[in-house]
Amino acid sequence: MLVLGLETSCDETGVALYDTGAGLLAHALFSQVDIHVEYGGVVPELASRDHVRKVLPLVQEVLQDAGRDERSIDAVAYTAGPGLAGALMVGATLARALAWGWGIPALGVHHMEGHLLAPMLEEESPPFPFVALLVSGGHTQLVRVDAIGRYRLLGESLDDAAGEAFDKVAKMLGLPYPGGPHVARLAERGDASRFDFPRPMVNRPGLDFSFSGLKTHTLNTVAACTGDGELTEQDRCDIASAFEQAVVSTLVIKCRRALRQEGLKTLVMAGGVSANRYLRAELKRALAKEQAAVFYPAPVFCTDNGAMIAYAGAQRLAAGQFDEADVAVRPRWPMDELPPLDAVGAVQ
Ligand code: KG4
Ligand code: ZN
């Protein structure tokens, strides 16, 4: 089954063609970073308008790259939520229109399920069951995954998501949006041992996270270093490094705890923050000590992309799931409302 996937939930337009037999045939991505950078964050209306401009040319691009004709497409998958309502509507409307015109089914995909299943695009894909750490700009969650659609939330952030904390700290350090990769780059030249940053909530039982205290601690550190003058380059690098280390060790501690609690040895990490090289290395190192394995997507599929939506949609479409022809999106959408794959026949 050949599935066209469309991702337009935030500030990246992603399109891909995934074949359930041959795998990923082509994918294309347009990042809107340059459009939003001067505002220091995503401007929803500008995001929607740019998706309108980009999504159809990207569809043509992937068809050409894959050497396929549109008539060979069997179904369309699109991100139906969570995300920005207007941005989601662009992908949903186009997907439904294409599917109607081509006489094929379409399915709205959950963006976080897309992230969660992105490691399956790799040659070595994780075996079920596993614990997934989803770390993006909007979510920080630990989820037990027994099969596609069989998800149990184990813990989540009570306030800011990890990516959001990275973005806010980036602003404090005078770095552009989206801040995560910029903070990570500064951190490489920093000395974290200069400061003593807290590891939030690690001394309490449970698997929830909280990053707002760490953010305030960072702000206070910035203020203390600034004094009457400005931060030096070394101050900025050291603060970035201390912050990154605090986030990473908190995530690592909770991942190990989740694996132990669930009696599992496989961890999957996905979402924008999973592109962080220090986090990838630390998690691998910590889990190797416990003979546990960690899987994550290729960096290009950590942040938003069309391939993960095409893949997640293809699994459900191939199992017979599809949506009615109305155009509906869900800006807020708890992932545990998704039907298990082995029960989709009942929910069409
Ligand atoms: O998954 P994603 O592309 O979009 C959402 O669904 O939110 O994640 C974007 C988030 C942003 O907060 C960004 O700063 C963060 O992921 N991010 C990183 C890195 N690359 C992206 N955070 C830390 N280190 C990185 N290398
Ligand atoms: Zn995302």
Side-chain angles (χ1 to χ4, degrees), residues 8 25 76 106 143 150 164 191 206 228 236 244 266 313-314 328:
T8 65
L25 301 186
V76 186
V143 183
R150 295 212 175 269
E164 195 180 352
D191 172 14
D228 294 332
R236 293 166 78 233
E244 183 183 61
T266 309

Side-chain angles (χ1 to χ4, degrees), residues 190-206:
D191 172 14
S193 66
R194 186 175 146 196
F195 304 108
D196 188 17
F197 273 42
R199 270 62 175 151
M201 296 187 62
V202 295
N203 297 324
R204 274 193 243 167

